[in-house]
Amino acid sequence: MALGCGGTLGKVFLILINIIFFLLGLGLLIVGALMKANVKIVTDEVKPALNTVTVSSYKLGDLADNLSVVFIVIGVFIFIVAGLGLFGACCQNRCMLVTYAILVLILFIAKIAAIALWFTMQGEVEDKVKNEMLTSLQTHFTDDSVDTGSEVSRSWNYMFMTLDCCAINKVTSGTNDFDQSPWCTATGKSCKDSSAEVPRTCCVGVVASTYTAATAPCTTGVSGYNTMGCYDALKAEIDSYSTPVIGVGITILVIENYSGVQAASVIKLFIFQQE
């Protein structure tokens, strides 16, 4: 069936929009792949500490570990939707275009709900995560060692070294988050008994093979340690991925809105309209 001027223009616009749509899906795939490759947050050593924190009944460590997979799946889904739009427009296939328009509408509604929920709940979720991280540290941190203590305690030490952070809130003095932890309060522990204010694993530049050589100026003098709290360090790591993803999501939202309208227009013009 031949196309009128309006149908041809609509077809061209729909193809161009879905090429952009396709590239944005590729962007999400790349972000997911990079996040999957960057195991800085979700190493097996760090996960036990993160998994003591829950977000809507999900363990934080598992969420961080699976977030990259979510981005990849969404990117693939957008690929499929964009492909339907491209082939539907190029081949003038009514079935593909109708399916495409329906999927775009579903995606559009879902993204509006997700983005609205994120901005509404973000502050509450962040406060809850920070409080639960502090509770976990003050409950489970028993030794400044990766060889002794509970699995969660060892995991906190790995987190300090992996994320270059210390405690949950920023340590600014001898009075800090560790004061209420078993490392300081339990009989025979090394915190105040050895005048230590922060664990050896908080010292700048230490790793699992070198933290035992950490010197007193770091542990007792509260200098030469990682100044960023682990909540802020973790948030910075997640934000480095979530910020571009939110930007891509909003862009996709705008394109979905226009492409859905354009698809309906093209269907009307070159599928149902008789010459």
Side-chain angles (χ1 to χ4, degrees), residues 106-124:
I106 293 172
L107 274 173
F108 182 72
I109 294 172
K111 281 191 174 67
I112 287 179
I115 291 173
L117 184 63
W118 168 252
F119 284 110
T120 300
M121 300 294 291
Q122 184 178 10
E124 180 181 340

Side-chain angles (χ1 to χ4, degrees), residues 32-166:
L34 287 174
M35 193 171 183
K36 190 69 176 176
N38 180 7
V39 295
K40 188 174 183 181
I41 304 176
V42 290
T43 60
D44 290 338
E45 293 85 0
V46 171
K47 276 185 69 175
L50 291 179
N51 277 341
T52 61
V53 179
T54 58
V55 180
S56 298
S57 76
Y58 294 99
K59 295 178 179 179
L60 183 59
D62 292 336
L63 277 177
D65 199 14
N66 294 324
L67 196 57
S68 59
V69 177
V70 172
F71 292 157
I72 291 171
V73 169
I74 293 174
V76 170
F77 186 66
I78 291 172
F79 262 13
I80 294 172
V81 173
L84 283 171
L86 284 170
F87 283 109
C90 291
C91 302
Q92 302 180 31
N93 186 295
R94 181 177 64 181
C95 181
M96 283 187 178
L97 282 174
V98 170
T99 303
Y100 168 78
I102 292 171
L103 289 176
V104 164
L105 179 61
I106 293 172
L107 274 173
F108 182 72
I109 294 172
K111 281 191 174 67
I112 287 179
I115 291 173
L117 184 63
W118 168 252
F119 284 110
T120 300
M121 300 294 291
Q122 184 178 10
E124 180 181 340
V125 169
E126 288 180 356
D127 288 343
K128 183 177 185 294
V129 168
K130 188 173 185 178
N131 289 335
E132 287 198 18
M133 287 179 69
L134 180 59
T135 298
S136 174
L137 179 77
Q138 294 182 335
T139 301
H140 300 289
F141 190 72
T142 59
D143 287 283
D144 61 341
S145 169
V146 296
D147 299 312
T148 58
S150 67
E151 179 186 36
V152 176
S153 179
R154 297 194 301 272
S155 180
W156 276 111
N157 283 298
Y158 275 111
M159 189 183 300
F160 301 152
M161 295 184 290
T162 302
L163 296 181
D164 296 326
C165 62
C166 188

Side-chain angles (χ1 to χ4, degrees), residues 214-236:
T215 57
C218 166
T219 58
T220 64
V222 196
S223 64
Y225 62 92
N226 295 312
T227 57
M228 182 177 286
C230 286
Y231 171 77
D232 288 335
L234 182 64
K235 186 174 183 296

